[in-house]
Amino acid sequence: MEINDDDHVSRRWFNVESVPKSHVFSDEDRPGNQQIPLCNTIPIIDLENNSSNLSETIIQACQEYGFFQVINHGVSEDVISEAMKVMEEIFNMPVEEIKKEVSNYSSGWVYMGSTSFAAKGAHLWRDNLKHPCHPLDECMHRWPRNPPRYRDVVGAYIKEIRRLSLVILELISEGLGLEEGYLGGISQVQFLTASNYPVCPDPTLTLGLLNHFDHSLITILYQGNVEGLQFLKDGKWIGVEAIPNAFLVNIGTQIEIISNGKLRSAAHRVVTNQEAARTTIATFINPSPDCIIQPAKLLIDEDNPPIYQPLSFRDFVNVSKPFGPFTDALQNGVCTLKK
């Protein structure tokens, strides 16, 4: 099946018996035939546990893995289920409706359809929708109007994720020894990315998402019941277990900088699946564009000098690479290590 530009706004081009050349990554980037184990030791944090060491457990998880999962988080299963259903509806809309939504929101606030740019020479194996989602009253009017219930359903989901993000950021602040509200106070922007990774005829050749770091404060991901996310630890890829009704939280590069390297953002990627499609909803919790990101003063002393230079979040994102190690950004003069 030949792929043309129009096909990049629909799922139609995924209905193939083999991976097209346009989606085959180089030997260096593709998953290949290696067997990737599932990690069953990533900490699962029960947010209803009032134990005094809850924040300490989160900090340890962030130091060892850069990831942790949260349960009993207060987001109802109904809210999550409806959000996932409406995302599946939008990814299954007719081609004409998807193209209409794309043309209605050409400002860049909303992007729909399969990834149309080539990352490292190949297209990603996914359909993707992305838009800002907080402050809610400033964003919702630019969201898709179809399906008709999209705004109500996703609005309810985002309200709960905003509440959850503030709880998590406060626990991280506490664990780092920062003043109350430190991280929550700079988390002014949220961005939603929903992705659908269709069944792939040969997962060894392509990727749903390349190896990258999230340039957020934290990312909160609901990954449904199908695994696909992998993270890099000690030079080896490890799969992340999909736990029903749990949210996966990963540390972004902004908290790595604020913590002066005490917490580490983990490189991760998304692989495809030959048996089942996968739909996910990721919410990126970001500083405002003009917020100056730098090591927190409370974490700096003679024994722990700042290792990152101050830089606005906007400048960091504009210069850093979308795919590739965080060290690329360091080497390119972004947050350069101080001598």
Side-chain angles (χ1 to χ4, degrees), residues 80-104:
I80 296 171
S81 175
E82 288 304 301
M84 290 291 281
K85 286 178 182 177
V86 83
M87 292 306 176
E88 291 171 357
E89 288 174 27
I90 204 168
F91 286 127
N92 281 289
M93 284 167 51
V95 177
E96 294 74 17
E97 289 299 316
I98 292 178
K99 292 171 71 174
K100 185 186 299 183
E101 289 295 328
V102 173
S103 63
N104 285 343

Side-chain angles (χ1 to χ4, degrees), residues 107-251:
S107 65
W109 281 66
V110 174
Y111 170 79
M112 293 182 58
S114 63
T115 303
S116 58
F117 69 90
K120 289 194 174 182
H123 293 285
L124 300 173
W125 194 268
R126 70 169 182 172
D127 278 335
N128 182 245
L129 176 154
K130 58 183 69 175
H131 58 67
C133 55
H134 180 82
L136 195 58
D137 56 354
E138 297 177 13
C139 302
M140 190 181 289
H141 69 284
R142 293 183 183 241
W143 292 0
R145 287 192 171 89
N146 285 306
R149 66 194 191 100
Y150 181 90
R151 295 183 178 185
D152 287 340
V153 169
V154 176
Y157 178 83
I158 290 304
K159 286 180 182 178
E160 292 301 308
I161 296 298
R162 177 62 181 171
R163 177 195 58 77
L164 176 60
S165 70
L166 292 176
V167 169
I168 293 170
L169 288 171
E170 189 57 37
L171 287 167
I172 295 173
S173 291
E174 179 183 330
L176 287 172
L178 302 175
E179 59 261 35
E180 184 177 349
Y182 186 98
L183 293 175
I186 62 175
S187 63
Q188 299 301 313
V189 178
Q190 290 184 189
F191 203 89
L192 177 145
T193 295
S195 297
N196 176 265
Y197 305 95
V199 171
C200 179
D202 190 348
T204 69
L205 298 177
T206 190
L207 284 166
L209 199 54
L210 274 162
N211 173 18
H212 69 288
F213 288 81
D214 287 353
H215 296 320
S216 54
L217 290 165
I218 57 173
T219 302
I220 299 178
L221 174 72
Y222 187 75
Q223 60 173 343
N225 299 317
V226 180
E227 278 91 15
L229 183 68
Q230 297 177 346
F231 71 99
L232 200 59
K233 181 172 173 57
D234 300 326
K236 296 181 180 180
W237 288 107
I238 301 175
V240 179
E241 183 182 7
I243 300 175
N245 202 39
F247 287 101
L248 181 72
V249 181
N250 70 281
I251 294 299

Side-chain angles (χ1 to χ4, degrees), residues 45-50 54 70-73 164 167-168 171:
I45 309 296
D46 183 347
L47 292 182
E48 287 187 350
N49 181 354
N50 295 320
L54 188 58
V70 293
I71 59 173
N72 293 325
H73 39 65
L164 176 60
V167 169
I168 293 170
L171 287 167

